[in-house]
Amino acid sequence: MKKIIKIGIPILSIFLLIACGNNENKKQENPEDSETSVQISKEPEIRINDDVLNAIYSQYANLTVALAQDNLAEAKLAANAIEAGAREISNNSNLAESAASIVSAPDIEKQRAAYSKLSDEMVALLKKAGMTQAELYVEYCPMAFDNKGAVWISSTKEVRNPYFGEKMLNCGEVKEIIK
C-alpha cells in the first residue's frame, strides 16, 4: 500500500499540473477574454419606408456578402429568403424571379448574373420607397460582365465587390446615395 501511495501521489501531481496548464492555454486562446481582441464595427441600422422591402434588404445584404466571399451555398440561402419575401410585394416586381434564378444557379458566375438583375430591381424599388433611417450606397463595378458594368447596394461606402469576390474585392466605386 505504501508503494502505491509513493508512486501514485507523484503521478497524480503530474496529471494535475498538466491539466491546470491546459486550462491556462485555453483561457489565453479565447479572444473574448483577451484585452487585445478585435472590435467588429457595427453597420448602421437601415430602415426603409416599406416594411416588406426592409426585410428583403436584410437578406439582400447577406446575399451580397456571400457573393463577395465566393460562397455559393450561402448565396442560395439568402436568395431563397429574398424569393419568399418578394412574393409579398404588390407591384409585380421581378425580384422573386431573379432570386429564384440565384437559388437554381449551378455555379457562382450564373448566380452573379442573376444578382445583377436583382440589384437593378432593388435599386429601383429602394429609390421609390425611400429611407426612414440611414442611407444606402449604389456601388458600381465597371469591369463586371466583360466591362459592361453592374451595380449593387451597400450600407457602407466601403467597396466589397460581389461580382468578382476575392479576386477583385475592392474593385468599384460609389455611384449614388439613396436617402
Side-chain angles (χ1 to χ4, degrees):
M1 183 70 149
K2 287 184 181 182
K3 205 175 203 183
I4 293 175
I5 293 174
K6 284 183 180 181
I7 296 173
I9 290 177
I11 291 175
L12 183 60
S13 298
I14 290 171
F15 282 125
L16 286 173
L17 288 173
I18 291 172
C20 290
N22 284 342
N23 285 339
E24 288 295 318
N25 289 339
K26 287 180 184 175
K27 285 181 182 177
Q28 290 176 353
E29 291 173 0
N30 187 350
E32 293 177 7
D33 294 338
S34 174
E35 290 179 23
T36 60
S37 67
V38 177
Q39 295 295 324
I40 298 172
S41 63
K42 187 176 179 183
E43 291 192 14
E45 187 174 341
I46 303 298
R47 291 273 184 237
I48 300 164
N49 288 330
D50 180 322
D51 289 338
V52 174
L53 195 54
N54 198 52
I56 290 170
Y57 175 75
S58 82
Q59 291 303 316
Y60 175 88
N62 292 338
L63 173 60
T64 303
V65 169
L67 292 173
Q69 293 175 346
D70 302 320
N71 191 328
L72 181 82
E74 288 295 320
K76 285 185 180 200
L77 287 173
N80 196 27
I82 291 169
E83 181 182 5
R87 300 213 184 277
E88 301 295 318
I89 294 179
S90 60
N91 62 359
N92 287 332
S93 113
N94 295 320
L95 281 179
E97 291 174 26
S98 296
S101 296
I102 295 169
V103 172
S104 65
D107 61 53
I108 199 147
E109 294 309 318
K110 291 203 179 3
Q111 282 184 331
R112 287 176 170 143
Y115 173 79
S116 176
K117 293 176 185 174
L118 180 90
S119 293
D120 290 340
E121 183 76 16
M122 282 292 291
V123 168
L125 289 170
L126 289 168
K127 283 181 180 181
K128 184 177 177 183
M131 305 295 295
T132 302
Q133 182 176 327
E135 56 191 21
L136 293 172
Y137 302 93
V138 179
E139 298 182 339
Y140 176 74
C141 174
M143 296 175 64
F145 307 112
D146 295 322
N147 296 320
K148 291 177 186 168
V151 298
W152 73 95
I153 304 160
S154 177
S155 60
T156 65
K157 289 181 181 180
E158 183 180 8
V159 173
R160 293 285 184 229
N161 191 325
Y163 296 109
F164 286 102
E166 294 294 325
K167 285 187 245 174
M168 296 178 67
L169 190 58
N170 299 319
C171 176
E173 62 185 348
V174 174
K175 281 299 227 188
E176 191 175 348
I177 300 173
I178 301 173
K179 296 182 180 188

